[in-house]
Amino acid sequence: MFDELAVVDFNDLSTLRNIYGDFEAVIHVAAASYGAPADLMRVTGIATDFLARVAINLGIKRFVHVSAMSVYGRPDVSVVSSKTPIKHSIPYGAAKWAAECYLHDLQDQMPSISIRSPAIVGSRPGTHTHFLAKVLKAMTTRTETIRLSNPDFLFNNIVHEETLAEFLVHLSLSSLVGYQAIPVGSIQADKLRDLINYMANAVEYTRTVSWDNGSESPFSIDFREALELGFQPLTSMRVLEQWLASQTQK
């Protein structure tokens, strides 16, 4: 279904002219995760507004945008949902929030939805910098002691790239109305200790994992709106199994 390639560089917004033709939807996943705050805002935030306006001019009917749980900053609640107030804590989260605001402002001209993604895992090695990826790297490099917090926390802040991709395509083929911003995650959350133990066994890490209760309270994700829109999540453990299987095969 994706048989044409338009090369676009968000560091050069003039390349948006490369997008032309008869398209029905945009799935917008591009972003900058690192760099100076001004660069993050320009590439991740402001460029989304430019892309959306190009889509409107082309008569595109639906705009599906991948945002991030980072928009929430550091939540002071135990469960985060689409209704949780936004509190910025890092420039990346602020840039993603700006992108959401631009799409919200254009909703009368083009319906859109932002998917606030948690940690994404998948087949490509060395491209993930979230918490579990850092733990996996520490295990594979045989770090003597890995220090972690909140072992009994029910962890669902993870999604497999294939599950997310299927949902994005599903949304691009669905009828959207106005603007929504909703989170996704995994179901049947497992204790963090169990997930870490599974990782350790998978990569044969036999050194020390040290646990404490942590100074910050973790949060889980309520993604009921995504379920209503057709999201088909995996369990946290199943996501981990798929991810580690692809990593250990390389």
Side-chain angles (χ1 to χ4, degrees):
M1 65 188 296
F2 305 114
D3 57 0
E4 295 186 37
L5 176 65
V7 178
V8 174
D9 181 355
F10 280 176
N11 284 304
D12 180 4
L13 294 180
S14 68
T15 61
L16 292 176
R17 300 191 192 100
N18 293 337
I19 306 175
Y20 58 88
D22 185 19
F23 300 105
E24 291 191 359
V26 167
I27 300 176
H28 174 33
V29 300
S33 302
Y34 298 97
D39 293 332
L40 292 176
M41 185 60 70
R42 175 175 51 83
V43 174
T44 301
I46 296 172
T48 298
D49 179 63
F50 278 79
L51 178 61
R53 293 179 187 278
V54 169
I56 291 170
N57 290 336
L58 291 173
I60 289 175
K61 302 178 178 68
R62 295 173 294 279
F63 195 101
V64 180
H65 167 236
V66 177
S67 186
M69 293 299 293
S70 300
V71 301
Y72 293 107
R74 293 191 175 94
D76 55 3
V77 294
S78 59
V79 179
V80 173
S81 72
S82 62
K83 306 297 190 298
T84 302
I86 300 297
K87 295 181 178 180
H88 306 312
S89 64
I90 58 174
Y92 174 67
K96 282 292 190 181
W97 171 237
E100 292 188 12
C101 291
Y102 294 135
L103 293 176
H104 179 275
D105 190 52
L106 296 171
Q107 63 179 307
D108 292 338
Q109 301 177 63
M110 180 182 61
S112 59
I113 185 168
S114 291
I115 305 304
R116 293 171 177 165
S117 174
I120 301 174
V121 297
S123 59
R124 295 181 62 188
T127 59
H128 306 296
T129 56
H130 50 72
F131 159 68
L132 288 179
K134 292 177 180 178
V135 173
L136 180 60
K137 182 177 181 180
M139 288 181 174
T140 55
T141 56
R142 305 308 181 205
T143 300
E144 189 64 35
T145 301
I146 300 174
R147 291 180 171 81
L148 302 174
S149 302
N150 303 300
D152 296 323
F153 170 62
L154 295 177
F155 185 87
N156 76 336
N157 198 328
I158 188 172
V159 64
H160 194 278
E161 62 184 10
E162 293 181 3
T163 302
L164 180 60
E166 289 171 0
F167 185 44
L168 298 177
V169 172
H170 170 74
L171 291 172
S172 75
L173 300 172
S174 303
S175 296
L176 302 179
V177 178
Y179 176 76
Q180 286 181 274
I182 59 174
V184 294
S186 56
I187 58 172
Q188 298 178 4
D190 291 274
K191 288 184 178 181
L192 184 56
R193 186 199 305 273
D194 295 336
L195 297 174
I196 297 300
N197 287 342
Y198 180 86
M199 291 175 63
N201 290 332
V203 300
E204 299 180 346
Y205 177 76
T206 58
R207 299 184 181 181
T208 303
V209 176
S210 176
W211 293 94
D212 60 49
N213 290 326
S215 58
E216 295 183 3
S217 298
F219 64 87
S220 59
I221 302 172
D222 175 356
F223 52 89
R224 67 188 70 187
E225 292 99 336
L227 294 174
E228 293 171 357
L229 291 174
F231 180 53
Q232 298 181 349
L234 303 174
T235 65
S236 301
M237 186 62 76
R238 183 56 183 152
V239 174
L240 204 63
E241 290 171 355
Q242 287 192 359
W243 177 42
L244 293 178
S246 66
Q247 298 297 296
T248 55
Q249 289 170 1
K250 296 186 180 296

